[in-house]
Amino acid sequence: FDEVPNMSSASDQDSATPVDTVAPAAPANLSATAGDEEIVLNWDDSGDDDVVDYRIYRSTTSGSYGAAIATVATSDYTDEGLANGTTYYYKVTARDEVPNESAMSGEVTGTPVDSLAPAAPTGLIATAENGQVVLDWNDNAESDLAGYNVYRSLSAGSGYAKINGSVLTSSGYTDPGRTNGTTYYYKVSAVDTESTPNESAQSAYVSATVLDTI
């Protein structure tokens, strides 16, 4: 005779939730553009649909990274408040919703620099004395000011040449050895403290005719 199938009682209930264990691909084409006390990072958008953010890693030593300095939802980041003249190293990762974090991107570097020149000096005046001209002008307000350069010409519109050797640290200058009866024209510029100094535009010119006052 045919056997009659007997069905056991149901087992204990259990459940499972599928988990994404695959990390996104590492971000590609990371670039760094240096500015004044900042570096702007850009990279390609991830091709993985489940990427939700990116983590930024910074170091002052190539290949040695600690914790992320920022997490952003877009494929760019501006790192501000940096020290001009210091080289910084960066890598970026991508994260999905889990979150699984990708391997790090390729490394890029940037060195912030101050590319902004001081303002041109103002208030320049020239006072003729016997055989010399005394110049004075307003102090510049920049915190990174190194000093000033003085330019002289025998023509108002052209021919100006720098007459000081090292940068002047005060807002005044005496130009000796001038010929009495000759008119001299002057302009002044300001210079900052960068390793490659930024020099301002030259001030408006002033003139003085040297006279024998003795």
Side-chain angles (χ1 to χ4, degrees):
F1 57 92
D2 294 335
E3 292 185 1
V4 177
N6 295 305
M7 182 179 295
S8 71
S9 58
S11 67
D12 293 337
Q13 181 174 297
D14 201 355
S15 65
T17 302
V19 176
D20 178 6
T21 60
V22 178
N29 296 322
L30 176 63
S31 66
T33 303
D36 183 14
E37 298 184 351
E38 69 177 25
I39 292 177
V40 179
L41 301 174
N42 280 279
W43 57 93
D44 290 346
D45 289 333
S46 176
D48 296 284
D49 294 337
D50 58 348
V51 166
V52 295
D53 58 30
Y54 303 92
R55 306 196 83 185
I56 317 300
Y57 294 84
R58 181 187 69 209
S59 178
T60 54
T61 303
S62 176
S64 178
Y65 293 87
I69 61 168
T71 300
V72 297
T74 58
S75 56
D76 60 87
Y77 178 73
T78 300
D79 192 14
E80 300 176 311
L82 303 177
N84 286 335
T86 298
T87 298
Y88 296 91
Y89 300 82
Y90 295 90
K91 291 186 177 184
V92 178
T93 62
R95 297 196 309 173
D96 61 20
E97 296 173 348
V98 174
N100 297 305
E101 186 170 5
S102 75
M104 287 185 169
S105 68
E107 184 178 74
V108 296
T109 67
T111 305
V113 292
D114 179 4
S115 59
L116 299 176
T122 61
L124 177 61
I125 58 173
T127 304
E129 296 182 356
N130 185 44
Q132 65 182 20
V133 176
V134 178
L135 302 173
D136 191 46
W137 58 91
N138 296 330
D139 291 333
N140 271 50
E142 289 84 2
S143 60
D144 63 345
L145 190 75
Y148 307 92
N149 289 323
V150 176
Y151 294 83
R152 182 184 66 216
S153 177
L154 294 175
S155 171
S158 63
Y160 288 90
K162 186 164 76 77
I163 59 175
N164 56 295
S166 58
V167 171
L168 303 173
T169 57
S170 62
S171 55
Y173 182 76
T174 298
D175 186 21
R178 298 306 92 212
T179 302
N180 288 335
T182 300
T183 299
Y184 297 92
Y185 299 84
Y186 297 90
K187 293 183 177 183
V188 179
S189 68
V191 180
D192 68 16
T193 57
E194 289 301 302
S195 55
T196 301
N198 297 301
E199 185 171 10
S200 75
Q202 293 175 355
S203 68
Y205 76 83
V206 295
S207 65
T209 302
V210 181
L211 299 174
D212 185 353
T213 58
I214 299 177

